[in-house]
Amino acid sequence: MRALELLAGNKIWMSAVTGWFVAQVLKTLIHTLFTRSFDPERLIGSGGMPSSHAATVCAMAAAAAKLYGAGSFEFAITAILAVIVMHDAMGVRLETGKQAKLLNEILATFRTLDGKKLTEDKLKEFVGHTPLQVLAGALLGIAIGFGMS
């Protein structure tokens, strides 16, 4: 129980968790508004607007900056982590989502191969983020990090 109390009192941890949670709820609401259907996977899934990955790491970095200063090792570690995570979201993970979409289209076109029905599951297309989605997540996270610390 003491460990949970310590985590609950850790402003950097709570900022990160809150950043993730708020971004996931917003992502689900935005997805529901645009598609006119509720998809519970959006509550925990990656990809979409805003980036919950960016919100999480930017909330951590902002809280560390406010609590310990921009010259602290805590801020340095969280800021570098934030840059890596956001770069990955817009690079490798975004390209992975594009490839998944193309492969899903190919699978839909060729439902059978050599007389055998293809039974592969559809690949996840919501994996990465556009720069706008990352920026929105980053701004959300920074606001939450500064607001909670």
Side-chain angles (χ1 to χ4, degrees), residues 100-115:
K101 185 174 183 170
L102 180 62
L103 287 170
N104 286 335
E105 290 173 9
I106 291 169
L107 283 172
T109 302
F110 300 102
R111 294 189 193 271
T112 60
L113 186 62
D114 293 332

Side-chain angles (χ1 to χ4, degrees), residues 10-31:
N10 184 319
K11 292 181 179 182
I12 294 175
W13 169 265
M14 290 306 297
S15 294
V17 170
T18 303
W20 175 84
F21 181 78
V22 171
Q24 288 298 127
V25 169
L26 286 173
K27 180 187 306 191
T28 303
L29 292 173
I30 290 168
H31 181 79

Side-chain angles (χ1 to χ4, degrees), residues 130-142:
T130 64
L132 179 62
Q133 293 168 340
V134 170
L135 177 63
L139 294 175
L140 174 66
I142 290 168

Side-chain angles (χ1 to χ4, degrees), residues 59-74:
M60 258 190 340
K66 186 174 176 185
L67 292 170
Y68 302 109
S72 68
F73 78 89
E74 291 93 345

